[in-house]
mmCIF file of all heavy atoms in Angstrom:
data_model
loop_
_atom_site.group_PDB
_atom_site.id
_atom_site.type_symbol
_atom_site.label_atom_id
_atom_site.label_comp_id
_atom_site.label_asym_id
_atom_site.label_seq_id
_atom_site.Cartn_x
_atom_site.Cartn_y
_atom_site.Cartn_z
ATOM 1 N N GLN A 873 94.960 48.921 115.770
ATOM 2 C CA GLN A 873 94.612 47.607 116.362
ATOM 3 C C GLN A 873 93.411 47.737 117.295
ATOM 4 O O GLN A 873 92.479 46.934 117.268
ATOM 5 C CB GLN A 873 95.821 47.057 117.129
ATOM 6 C CG GLN A 873 96.962 46.614 116.223
ATOM 7 C CD GLN A 873 98.176 46.134 117.003
ATOM 8 O OE1 GLN A 873 98.154 46.189 118.234
ATOM 9 N NE2 GLN A 873 99.191 45.674 116.294
ATOM 10 N N GLU A 874 93.442 48.786 118.154
ATOM 11 C CA GLU A 874 92.323 48.976 119.080
ATOM 12 C C GLU A 874 91.021 49.201 118.329
ATOM 13 O O GLU A 874 89.964 48.666 118.695
ATOM 14 C CB GLU A 874 92.614 50.167 119.987
ATOM 15 C CG GLU A 874 93.745 49.904 120.967
ATOM 16 C CD GLU A 874 94.136 51.153 121.729
ATOM 17 O OE1 GLU A 874 93.539 52.209 121.438
ATOM 18 O OE2 GLU A 874 95.029 51.085 122.594
ATOM 19 N N ARG A 875 91.083 50.001 117.256
ATOM 20 C CA ARG A 875 89.853 50.267 116.489
ATOM 21 C C ARG A 875 89.335 49.012 115.796
ATOM 22 O O ARG A 875 88.126 48.829 115.665
ATOM 23 C CB ARG A 875 90.124 51.375 115.466
ATOM 24 C CG ARG A 875 90.289 52.734 116.117
ATOM 25 C CD ARG A 875 90.361 53.835 115.115
ATOM 26 N NE ARG A 875 90.465 55.129 115.782
ATOM 27 C CZ ARG A 875 90.568 56.287 115.148
ATOM 28 N NH1 ARG A 875 90.581 56.318 113.848
ATOM 29 N NH2 ARG A 875 90.660 57.415 115.830
ATOM 30 N N ASP A 876 90.257 48.120 115.314
ATOM 31 C CA ASP A 876 89.807 46.849 114.714
ATOM 32 C C ASP A 876 89.037 46.023 115.741
ATOM 33 O O ASP A 876 87.984 45.441 115.435
ATOM 34 C CB ASP A 876 91.017 46.068 114.198
ATOM 35 C CG ASP A 876 91.622 46.727 112.957
ATOM 36 O OD1 ASP A 876 90.878 47.464 112.273
ATOM 37 O OD2 ASP A 876 92.808 46.496 112.678
ATOM 38 N N GLU A 877 89.559 45.984 116.984
ATOM 39 C CA GLU A 877 88.864 45.230 118.030
ATOM 40 C C GLU A 877 87.482 45.812 118.313
ATOM 41 O O GLU A 877 86.484 45.096 118.442
ATOM 42 C CB GLU A 877 89.709 45.235 119.310
ATOM 43 C CG GLU A 877 90.996 44.429 119.169
ATOM 44 C CD GLU A 877 91.895 44.598 120.381
ATOM 45 O OE1 GLU A 877 91.497 45.360 121.289
ATOM 46 O OE2 GLU A 877 92.967 43.973 120.424
ATOM 47 N N THR A 878 87.417 47.155 118.396
ATOM 48 C CA THR A 878 86.108 47.784 118.647
ATOM 49 C C THR A 878 85.142 47.522 117.497
ATOM 50 O O THR A 878 83.942 47.332 117.708
ATOM 51 C CB THR A 878 86.285 49.293 118.849
ATOM 52 O OG1 THR A 878 86.981 49.835 117.719
ATOM 53 C CG2 THR A 878 87.062 49.596 120.101
ATOM 54 N N ILE A 879 85.662 47.495 116.260
ATOM 55 C CA ILE A 879 84.791 47.228 115.087
ATOM 56 C C ILE A 879 84.198 45.822 115.196
ATOM 57 O O ILE A 879 83.003 45.614 114.917
ATOM 58 C CB ILE A 879 85.591 47.414 113.787
ATOM 59 C CG1 ILE A 879 85.840 48.921 113.548
ATOM 60 C CG2 ILE A 879 84.864 46.821 112.597
ATOM 61 C CD1 ILE A 879 86.909 49.189 112.523
ATOM 62 N N GLN A 880 85.002 44.837 115.602
ATOM 63 C CA GLN A 880 84.475 43.471 115.743
ATOM 64 C C GLN A 880 83.381 43.407 116.811
ATOM 65 O O GLN A 880 82.335 42.784 116.627
ATOM 66 C CB GLN A 880 85.627 42.520 116.110
ATOM 67 C CG GLN A 880 86.612 42.305 114.957
ATOM 68 C CD GLN A 880 87.794 41.460 115.370
ATOM 69 O OE1 GLN A 880 87.880 41.026 116.512
ATOM 70 N NE2 GLN A 880 88.703 41.219 114.414
ATOM 71 N N ASP A 881 83.653 44.099 117.962
ATOM 72 C CA ASP A 881 82.625 44.110 119.019
ATOM 73 C C ASP A 881 81.327 44.722 118.511
ATOM 74 O O ASP A 881 80.222 44.226 118.787
ATOM 75 C CB ASP A 881 83.135 44.895 120.227
ATOM 76 C CG ASP A 881 84.331 44.200 120.874
ATOM 77 O OD1 ASP A 881 84.469 42.976 120.682
ATOM 78 O OD2 ASP A 881 85.115 44.900 121.552
ATOM 79 N N LYS A 882 81.439 45.831 117.772
ATOM 80 C CA LYS A 882 80.228 46.497 117.263
ATOM 81 C C LYS A 882 79.491 45.642 116.257
ATOM 82 O O LYS A 882 78.256 45.652 116.199
ATOM 83 C CB LYS A 882 80.608 47.844 116.642
ATOM 84 C CG LYS A 882 80.984 48.887 117.699
ATOM 85 C CD LYS A 882 81.321 50.216 117.070
ATOM 86 C CE LYS A 882 81.666 51.233 118.157
ATOM 87 N NZ LYS A 882 82.032 52.542 117.585
ATOM 88 N N GLU A 883 80.213 44.867 115.428
ATOM 89 C CA GLU A 883 79.551 43.981 114.462
ATOM 90 C C GLU A 883 78.742 42.904 115.191
ATOM 91 O O GLU A 883 77.619 42.572 114.783
ATOM 92 C CB GLU A 883 80.595 43.347 113.552
ATOM 93 C CG GLU A 883 81.139 44.327 112.508
ATOM 94 C CD GLU A 883 82.214 43.690 111.656
ATOM 95 O OE1 GLU A 883 82.657 42.568 112.006
ATOM 96 O OE2 GLU A 883 82.623 44.319 110.653
ATOM 97 N N LYS A 884 79.311 42.354 116.282
ATOM 98 C CA LYS A 884 78.557 41.374 117.078
ATOM 99 C C LYS A 884 77.289 41.995 117.653
ATOM 100 O O LYS A 884 76.210 41.417 117.616
ATOM 101 C CB LYS A 884 79.431 40.854 118.223
ATOM 102 C CG LYS A 884 80.551 39.945 117.762
ATOM 103 C CD LYS A 884 81.396 39.507 118.962
ATOM 104 C CE LYS A 884 82.554 38.636 118.504
ATOM 105 N NZ LYS A 884 83.424 38.245 119.641
ATOM 106 N N ARG A 885 77.437 43.191 118.164
ATOM 107 C CA ARG A 885 76.278 43.860 118.751
ATOM 108 C C ARG A 885 75.211 44.129 117.698
ATOM 109 O O ARG A 885 74.011 43.993 117.947
ATOM 110 C CB ARG A 885 76.733 45.175 119.376
ATOM 111 C CG ARG A 885 75.681 45.839 120.231
ATOM 112 C CD ARG A 885 76.267 47.057 120.882
ATOM 113 N NE ARG A 885 75.251 47.794 121.604
ATOM 114 C CZ ARG A 885 75.439 48.994 122.152
ATOM 115 N NH1 ARG A 885 76.603 49.569 122.039
ATOM 116 N NH2 ARG A 885 74.470 49.605 122.799
ATOM 117 N N ILE A 886 75.646 44.500 116.481
ATOM 118 C CA ILE A 886 74.699 44.749 115.379
ATOM 119 C C ILE A 886 73.933 43.473 115.043
ATOM 120 O O ILE A 886 72.723 43.490 114.781
ATOM 121 C CB ILE A 886 75.453 45.298 114.150
ATOM 122 C CG1 ILE A 886 75.921 46.751 114.429
ATOM 123 C CG2 ILE A 886 74.590 45.256 112.902
ATOM 124 C CD1 ILE A 886 76.964 47.227 113.472
ATOM 125 N N TYR A 887 74.628 42.307 115.058
ATOM 126 C CA TYR A 887 73.958 41.025 114.752
ATOM 127 C C TYR A 887 72.877 40.730 115.795
ATOM 128 O O TYR A 887 71.752 40.329 115.455
ATOM 129 C CB TYR A 887 75.010 39.916 114.723
ATOM 130 C CG TYR A 887 74.440 38.559 114.411
ATOM 131 C CD1 TYR A 887 73.993 38.249 113.117
ATOM 132 C CD2 TYR A 887 74.344 37.584 115.393
ATOM 133 C CE1 TYR A 887 73.467 37.002 112.840
ATOM 134 C CE2 TYR A 887 73.829 36.346 115.122
ATOM 135 C CZ TYR A 887 73.381 36.055 113.841
ATOM 136 O OH TYR A 887 72.857 34.812 113.569
ATOM 137 N N ASP A 888 73.210 40.950 117.078
ATOM 138 C CA ASP A 888 72.213 40.714 118.140
ATOM 139 C C ASP A 888 71.014 41.641 117.983
ATOM 140 O O ASP A 888 69.855 41.229 118.149
ATOM 141 C CB ASP A 888 72.858 40.941 119.515
ATOM 142 C CG ASP A 888 73.961 39.919 119.786
ATOM 143 O OD1 ASP A 888 73.915 38.831 119.177
ATOM 144 O OD2 ASP A 888 74.857 40.241 120.588
#
Side-chain angles (χ1 to χ4, degrees):
Q873 289 177 357
E874 291 173 358
R875 289 188 178 179
D876 289 336
E877 292 173 359
T878 55
I879 287 165
Q880 290 175 0
D881 295 337
K882 287 181 179 179
E883 285 178 350
K884 289 178 182 178
R885 191 175 174 188
I886 289 164
Y887 180 72
D888 295 336

